[in-house]
């Protein structure tokens, strides 16, 4: 039994004529007659009484039309209900992410999410953390990915990953010859007190983490402020100064040739990223994205809770050829 055949029966009942019903449906009278015949064969009862000038429903035909109207009503209701879910899946998901990290985090997330939910379109909005919080509170973003701390008490945060921060120096720096790449103690880091430090904009969260690392030992005397992690990396590689960079930014092919990196012993050289959202807003498609994101980073091989994507191995100072696991 086809739903369209049931629909045809309701139209015949309303028109009282096969020819008029066929014109209204935009099909041939022959196709309409075949549909009636299919139903009559399936249920083994006559549905129409053909008369001069038109047709009338038999008692069985009247019963069928009454049931068909109920069936078609429920089908329309189901279609409208499911269309709401389909529209939610296809709607534009708006996600905020901090400016400094969009280049490194977005490609990983989109690749994995799009494979599972290809119908959902995603718009990423890049801004600084405070602005992202405001947009989430205003409903302009479904959620944002940003480093701690979260300022607004209205927003909730779910940890996504923790990223290790490394000290980076030009490969030609004299310090690199004195201390082979590996792990630095507080005392060794203090020897860089008079160096020029390159940082991202001073009031940003990443810069504050870096300044706090120095601040526990010395306030940097010379600072160069830039707006991009790529620029920071390039300036260090060109021997403009020294600085701190996220482990995800380090390109293994540059280690030893352009830069050298050090882990910082006994210091909180780490930045935690969270998914921040308004708990009063319905998640809809955002729930799937958050699930994919958390699952992706939870599945990353990690050392000490650091993000492994783009990880590098830093030679141990104790041996020439041994290498520690990726940061």
């Amino acid at each position: 039994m086809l739903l369209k055949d049931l629909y045809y029966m309701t139209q015949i009942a309303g028109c009282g004529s096969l020819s008029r019903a066929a014109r209204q449906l935009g099909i041939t009278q022959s196709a309409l007659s075949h549909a009636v015949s299919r139903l009559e064969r399936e249920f083994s009862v006559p549905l129409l009484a053909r008369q001069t000038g038109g047709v009338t429903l038999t008692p069985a035909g009247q019963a069928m039309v009454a049931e068909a109207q109920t069936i078609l009503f429920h089908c329309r209701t189901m279609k409208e209900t499911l269309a709401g879910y389909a529209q939610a899946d296809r709607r534009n998901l708006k996600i905020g992410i901090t400016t400094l990290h969009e280049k490194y985090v977005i490609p990983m997330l989109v690749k994995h999410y799009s494979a599972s939910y290809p119908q959902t379109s995603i718009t990423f909005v890049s801004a600084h953390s405070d602005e992202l919080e405001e947009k989430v509170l205003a409903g302009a973003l479904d959620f944002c990915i940003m480093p701690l701390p979260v300022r607004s008490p209205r927003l909730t945060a779910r940890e996504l990953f923790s990223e290790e921060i490394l000290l980076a120096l030009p490969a030609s720096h004299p310090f690199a010859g004195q201390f082979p790449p590996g792990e630095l103690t507080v005392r060794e880091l203090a020897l860089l007190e008079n160096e020029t430090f390159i940082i991202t904009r001073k009031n940003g969260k990443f810069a504050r983490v870096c300044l706090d690392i120095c601040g526990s030992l010395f306030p940097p005397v010379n600072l160069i402020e830039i707006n991009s992690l790529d620029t920071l990396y390039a300036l260090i590689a060109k021997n403009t100064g020294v600085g701190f960079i996220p482990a995800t930014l380090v390109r293994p092919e540059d280690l030893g040739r352009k830069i050298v990196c050090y882990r910082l012993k006994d210091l909180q050289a780490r930045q935690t990223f969270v998914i921040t959202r308004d708990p009063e807003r319905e998640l809809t498609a955002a729930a799937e994205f958050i699930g994919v994101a958390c699952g992706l980073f939870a599945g990353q091989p990690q050392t000490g809770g650091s993000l492994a994507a783009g990880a590098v191995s830093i030679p141990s100072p104790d041996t020439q050829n041994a290498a520690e696991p990726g940061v």
Side-chain angles (χ1 to χ4, degrees):
M1 179 177 61
L2 301 175
L3 284 176
K4 71 175 182 178
D5 291 348
L6 294 180
Y7 177 66
Y8 291 167
M9 281 297 298
T10 64
Q11 297 305 299
I12 293 169
C15 292
S17 164
L18 284 174
S19 59
R20 284 195 295 271
R23 285 195 300 271
Q24 186 169 307
L25 291 166
I27 61 175
T28 65
Q29 185 171 334
S30 174
L32 188 56
S33 295
H34 279 99
V36 174
S37 297
R38 280 195 298 269
L39 291 172
E40 290 179 329
R41 286 196 303 271
E42 182 171 352
F43 293 101
S44 302
V45 292
L47 301 174
L48 297 179
R50 289 163 176 82
Q51 301 172 343
T52 302
V55 293
T56 59
L57 298 174
T58 65
Q62 292 174 1
M64 171 170 281
V65 168
E67 294 294 339
Q69 288 172 336
T70 301
I71 291 171
L72 293 170
F73 171 78
H74 286 300
C75 286
R76 285 194 299 271
T77 302
M78 179 176 66
K79 186 176 180 179
E80 291 170 0
T81 301
L82 296 180
Y85 285 100
Q87 186 172 356
D89 284 341
R90 287 193 299 270
R91 72 179 179 85
N92 182 34
L93 187 58
K94 295 183 179 179
I95 303 171
I97 189 164
T98 45
T99 305
L100 290 178
H101 284 78
E102 60 177 331
K103 180 178 178 179
Y104 312 104
V105 176
I106 289 177
M108 289 186 288
L109 293 177
V110 171
K111 176 182 177 182
H112 287 77
Y113 182 79
S114 297
S116 301
Y117 302 94
Q119 290 187 337
T120 303
S121 61
I122 306 173
T123 299
F124 283 97
V125 176
S126 174
H128 298 299
S129 296
D130 293 346
E131 185 179 349
L132 292 178
E133 287 192 38
E134 292 175 3
K135 289 181 179 294
V136 172
L137 289 170
L141 295 174
D142 291 287
F143 61 88
C144 69
I145 299 171
M146 56 180 275
L148 290 175
V150 177
R151 300 190 184 282
S152 172
R154 273 184 50 192
L155 300 177
T156 60
R158 178 175 177 179
E159 183 172 341
L160 192 59
F161 62 85
S162 178
E163 181 176 55
E164 188 171 14
I165 297 173
L166 307 174
L167 172 69
L169 281 71
S172 59
H173 195 285
F175 191 89
Q178 183 180 359
F179 298 96
E183 188 174 72
L184 286 185
T185 65
V186 171
R187 180 179 178 183
E188 290 165 342
L189 178 60
L191 297 176
L192 296 171
E193 179 177 0
N194 295 318
E195 291 288 333
T196 296
F197 276 81
I198 306 169
I199 64 169
T200 54
R201 66 185 191 97
K202 195 180 296 184
N203 59 337
K205 289 185 180 179
F206 181 72
R208 286 198 292 273
V209 172
C210 298
L211 290 174
D212 285 345
I213 293 172
C214 290
S216 61
L217 305 171
F218 55 84
V221 177
N222 304 306
L223 286 177
I224 298 177
E225 291 187 54
I226 47 87
N227 292 317
S228 161
L229 285 174
D230 283 336
T231 303
L232 184 151
Y233 189 97
L235 289 176
I236 294 173
K238 292 180 183 294
N239 203 14
T240 306
V242 303
F244 300 98
I245 60 175
T248 49
L249 186 62
V250 180
R251 295 187 285 268
E253 65 271 18
D254 289 343
L255 284 175
R257 293 195 316 109
K258 295 183 178 181
I259 66 170
V260 292
C261 290
Y262 300 85
R263 290 189 178 94
L264 300 171
K265 187 177 181 181
D266 302 325
L267 292 173
Q268 293 300 315
R270 177 166 257 100
Q271 192 170 35
T272 298
F273 279 73
V274 294
I275 289 177
T276 304
R277 70 179 190 88
D278 185 346
E280 296 182 2
R281 292 195 65 203
E282 186 178 355
L283 283 176
T284 59
E288 288 98 4
F289 191 99
I290 292 173
V292 169
C294 291
L296 168 64
F297 288 111
Q300 291 282 351
Q302 298 181 13
T303 299
S306 63
L307 177 64
V312 297
S313 295
I314 300 176
S316 167
D318 298 323
T319 59
Q320 288 293 324
N321 299 319
E324 298 184 29
V327 298

